[in-house]
Amino acid sequence: MHEKVVYQIYPKSFNDSDGNGIGDLRGVIEKIPYLTKLGVEMLWLNPFFISPQNDNGYDVAHYTEIDPLFGTMADFEELVAKAKENDMGIMLDMVLNHTSTEHEWFQKALAGDKKYQDYYILREAKEDGSLPTNWVSKFGGPSWAKFGDTDKYYLHLFDVTQADLDWRNPEVREEMFKIVNFWLDKGVTGFRFDVINLIGKDEVLLDAEDGVGKARYTDRPIAHDFLHELNQRTFGRFEDIMTVGEMSSTTVENGVKYSNPENEELSMIFSFHHLKVDYKNGEKWTKIDYDFMELKRILDEWQAGMSQGNGWNALFWNNHDQPRAISRFGDPVNHFEASAKLHAQTIHLLRGTPYIYQGEEIGMTNPNYLDIQDFVDVETKNAYQELKEKGLQHEEIMDIIREKSRDNSRTPMQWSNELNAGFTTGEPWLEVADNFHQINVEEELANGTVMDYYKRLIALRKEMKVISEGSYRGILMEHPSVYAYVREYEGQQLLVLNHFYADPATIVVPEEFKNRSSKFLIGNGEERELGSSITLEAYETVAYLFEK
Ligand code: TEU
């Protein structure tokens, strides 16, 4: 499994086959030949189950039926078959921490059915009338809302229309197993579990000293028990199912527990600390230059820590919740190709499983929308209101939102320079980025070099055990602009140097590599011998192979 690369598809923005402005499953089927050429082995699709779309499908109203917006079960079965024909598996997104408040279970609970009230986390207000706990929602505001006309409140760590499930209820866990087994029976060979480290809420819920609450419900020990049980009752019954947990605010220690094969929980995890180095005081909705030294410290900490504990990292810069890395950590105006290739190589030669988010392989950027009306994401809209209430001016808020909004990565895939970038013949649900004339698949296939670079990196992972299985060691950790590391496997060493800025940087080659013959394996600049020092140009990345 360690030689595989995953491609993430956000179906709503990938390809619209029927002209309603929304991407769909048949649109994905149409692009199987394109995806096959990349050389990826797994396609992760964000949720397309029945949903009111308040959180773009992460508010699930039926877990085993496909929302007609995206197509039919027959379409899905065809997609699985077509992907399999091309040696690609399908990874589904399981949103099992919470359901939509429009889910039948929640509706039955509201109607007074005690069985289904026990599916959710309902609590009475405190004696002084305040909410059950002082926890805040990750989408802003309190994390409790009135439960119908009862004197209780229901927990929602995310949007008010996303009610948290009570995994301590064995009937809830049985429902979860049924859902995962249903999709396994459909031939699914991968699962991404949404915010799965939040499912271990305590029975007695207490206020949080910090008034936020994360520590009260994140990485609770019982979450590991629930995940092990899920493993044993569903995907763990098979040899080759790839699973990944989205782990909001987790730790290396827990990351090892979640992904060490001996624990029989998950194959790997997503951690996000490296994507918070442009959060001022840990606060997302701010605008500051990113902290490179903190970025490489975190990457190094997770690589070394997970390697030592035999855990396994998902490696990524981009997904449907993050701004585009090339806009965030690169320079798409002056160093477009170099930035794109630098980011790709930095993670594709690390220890773990690389994820490519749709459009990353052609260098898609943030759209830099003009005004708040151009944004649709619920988290972004809530943030705008909160920042306004804090007294920030409109343009200051817009500067922050243009940097941080999740809509940055959800703009329609740019296939060509035709109308709507070839994504739809209808009105796109979200505006296409205005640089699609220059940045699109057709242009890239005809004249670009970024996609080919991704193909080479994907191929190298298949060919070389030093990449797929090798150990990890960070070096030159004090260097202010270069993230350097060494991979080692059975006598081979791979030295990777990644320069994250435009001004040239000269590296004195560490003693252990001096006066040794090496092979220039891959780089985004001029191929050259590695002398006693090397000067890296703007956003240059190089990798040299040594035989011991
Ligand atoms: O995201 C978890 C999460 O914490 C997100 O809120 C994300 O980290 C944050 O927006 C980054 O600023 C998962 C899904 O990926 C996200 O799309 C869903 O909105 C969320 O869970 C709720 O299901």
Side-chain angles (χ1 to χ4, degrees):
M1 190 176 290
H2 290 173
E3 74 292 342
K4 294 186 174 179
V5 173
V6 183
Y7 187 93
Q8 180 189 354
I9 293 171
Y10 195 68
K12 197 168 185 178
S13 303
F14 189 64
N15 183 36
D16 170 21
S17 71
D18 60 7
N20 69 350
I22 293 175
D24 47 50
L25 296 180
R26 296 219 65 80
V28 178
I29 292 169
E30 286 174 8
K31 298 297 181 183
I32 289 280
Y34 168 75
L35 296 163
T36 304
K37 284 198 199 86
L38 266 179
V40 297
E41 288 94 351
M42 184 69 76
L43 304 177
W44 158 26
L45 277 75
N46 293 92
F48 46 78
F49 316 113
I50 291 187
S51 161
Q53 291 290 312
N54 297 316
D55 186 19
N56 286 349
Y58 280 92
D59 45 330
V60 179
H62 198 299
Y63 285 98
T64 55
E65 282 191 19
I66 291 164
D67 196 304
L69 266 183
F70 295 105
T72 66
M73 188 59 82
D75 295 333
F76 178 73
E77 288 161 353
E78 184 181 340
L79 172 59
V80 171
K82 288 259 169 65
K84 191 169 188 313
E85 283 166 23
N86 291 281
D87 299 323
M88 292 185 289
I90 297 293
M91 175 184 278
L92 289 190
D93 207 323
M94 296 282 104
V95 188
L96 307 181
N97 174 69
H98 48 267
T99 75
S100 163
T101 49
E102 292 185 23
H103 193 287
E104 180 193 29
W105 299 339
F106 193 82
Q107 292 301 310
K108 285 183 173 175
L110 277 179
D113 188 325
K114 181 78 175 62
K115 166 186 167 70
Y116 291 102
Q117 288 182 352
D118 289 345
Y119 275 29
Y120 295 93
I121 299 176
L122 309 181
R123 295 290 188 278
E124 290 175 354
K126 295 196 190 90
E127 280 181 16
D128 63 4
S130 62
L131 292 172
T133 66
N134 62 352
W135 305 352
V136 296
S137 156
K138 290 170 180 287
F139 287 173
S143 62
W144 295 93
K146 202 73 171 50
F147 181 64
D149 54 9
T150 71
D151 59 354
K152 292 192 175 179
Y153 294 82
Y154 69 91
L155 179 67
H156 64 88
L157 294 181
F158 293 91
D159 188 56
V160 68
T161 64
Q162 295 168 292
D164 282 61
L165 285 164
D166 183 357
W167 273 68
R168 286 178 179 274
N169 180 342
E171 291 184 39
V172 168
R173 299 203 298 276
E174 289 301 326
E175 297 280 11
M176 302 294 104
F177 305 153
K178 269 167 53 181
I179 292 163
V180 176
N181 284 324
F182 174 89
W183 291 111
L184 281 165
D185 291 346
K186 289 287 178 187
V188 169
T189 53
F191 293 98
R192 180 255 192 195
F193 292 99
D194 187 63
V195 295
I196 201 69
N197 62 325
L198 307 185
I199 60 175
K201 285 90 172 177
D202 297 333
E203 280 178 289
V204 178
L205 302 179
L206 303 172
D207 275 353
E209 284 88 53
D210 65 1
V212 175
K214 275 184 189 177
R216 289 286 186 204
Y217 55 75
T218 303
D219 288 340
R220 307 300 287 164
I222 200 168
H224 293 282
D225 301 337
F226 293 154
L227 270 173
H228 179 66
E229 189 183 2
L230 176 69
N231 174 302
Q232 298 294 292
R233 293 286 306 275
T234 64
F235 54 82
R237 297 178 292 124
F238 305 93
E239 274 306 304
D240 57 353
I241 306 297
M242 183 189 282
T243 55
V244 56
E246 185 207 29
M247 302 292 180
S248 183
S249 309
T250 193
T251 60
V252 171
E253 182 194 2
N254 276 290
V256 165
K257 279 187 198 158
Y258 288 125
S259 61
N260 181 322
E262 289 164 20
N263 299 334
E264 295 180 315
E265 291 183 29
L266 298 167
S267 316
M268 66 192 87
I269 71 154
F270 287 112
S271 62
F272 293 84
H273 299 284
H274 64 299
L275 296 179
K276 297 186 177 180
V277 296
D278 56 357
Y279 287 16
K280 187 177 179 183
N281 305 323
E283 170 51 51
K284 169 175 178 174
W285 298 102
T286 51
K287 185 172 184 273
I288 55 169
D289 291 341
Y290 80 93
D291 180 339
F292 171 73
M293 296 304 280
E294 183 62 0
L295 173 64
K296 73 175 193 175
R297 186 196 66 74
I298 293 168
L299 290 172
D300 179 64
E301 177 193 16
W302 278 86
Q303 281 287 308
M306 293 284 261
S307 183
Q308 279 143 25
N310 198 24
W312 196 254
N313 286 301
L315 306 168
F316 71 112
W317 293 113
N318 296 293
N319 68 24
H320 61 292
D321 291 329
Q322 298 294 331
R324 291 276 181 179
I326 193 170
S327 299
R328 190 177 189 183
F329 303 118
D331 179 350
V333 176
N334 303 304
H335 301 285
F336 173 74
E337 293 189 344
S339 298
K341 295 171 184 176
L342 164 74
H343 298 150
Q345 182 154 322
T346 299
I347 58 171
H348 276 257
L349 297 186
L350 279 174
R351 182 178 180 276
T353 295
Y355 283 66
I356 300 170
Y357 178 63
Q358 68 179 46
E360 172 184 331
E361 75 279 14
I362 63 169
M364 275 177 64
T365 67
N366 290 347
N368 293 320
Y369 288 151
L370 281 179
D371 212 335
I372 189 61
Q373 284 77 12
D374 301 320
F375 293 87
V376 300
D377 170 35
V378 59
E379 184 195 29
T380 302
K381 295 278 195 187
N382 291 354
Y384 181 87
Q385 290 311 322
E386 287 206 343
L387 293 170
K388 209 136 176 67
E389 283 153 21
K390 280 182 185 170
L392 276 71
Q393 297 306 304
H394 174 75
E395 261 322 304
E396 193 184 356
I397 298 174
M398 290 315 299
D399 281 348
I400 294 169
I401 281 177
R402 283 188 202 100
E403 296 279 316
K404 295 289 179 51
S405 172
R406 300 191 301 177
D407 285 328
N408 279 318
S409 53
R410 300 174 178 185
T411 60
M413 180 72 181
Q414 294 163 201
W415 295 105
S416 70
N417 68 2
E418 289 157 27
L419 177 70
N420 299 321
F423 162 71
T424 179
T425 55
E427 185 58 33
W429 71 277
L430 186 66
E431 197 180 330
V432 177
D434 60 10
N435 60 15
F436 76 89
H437 295 283
Q438 297 80 29
I439 301 174
N440 63 69
V441 168
E442 271 181 19
E443 173 59 28
E444 178 63 36
L445 288 172
N447 305 308
T449 63
V450 174
M451 194 187 306
D452 279 342
Y453 206 82
Y454 270 89
K455 289 177 184 173
R456 288 175 60 203
L457 289 166
I458 294 165
L460 282 174
R461 177 167 289 269
K462 288 189 185 69
E463 293 158 22
M464 302 181 75
K465 290 278 189 191
V466 68
I467 297 172
S468 58
E469 300 298 343
S471 63
Y472 165 91
R473 175 163 50 93
I475 60 168
L476 306 173
M477 289 311 289
E478 294 316 308
H479 197 282
S481 72
V482 173
Y483 172 39
Y485 58 82
V486 179
R487 305 290 316 276
E488 295 177 294
Y489 186 82
E490 292 182 1
Q492 272 196 338
Q493 288 179 301
L494 187 63
L495 170 63
V496 188
L497 304 173
N498 306 290
H499 176 37
F500 273 70
Y501 290 91
D503 296 339
T506 297
I507 296 280
V508 174
V509 174
E511 278 307 314
E512 64 178 304
F513 296 107
K514 272 188 179 153
N515 308 318
R516 288 175 59 189
S517 68
S518 66
K519 174 188 168 195
F520 181 92
L521 183 68
I522 184 170
N524 62 357
E526 174 211 344
E527 182 168 339
R528 56 198 185 282
E529 290 290 310
L530 181 65
S532 57
S533 70
I534 181 170
T535 296
L536 298 172
E537 301 304 327
Y539 299 95
E540 185 170 13
T541 177
V542 292
Y544 287 90
L545 185 65
F546 295 80
E547 303 290 348
K548 264 187 177 167

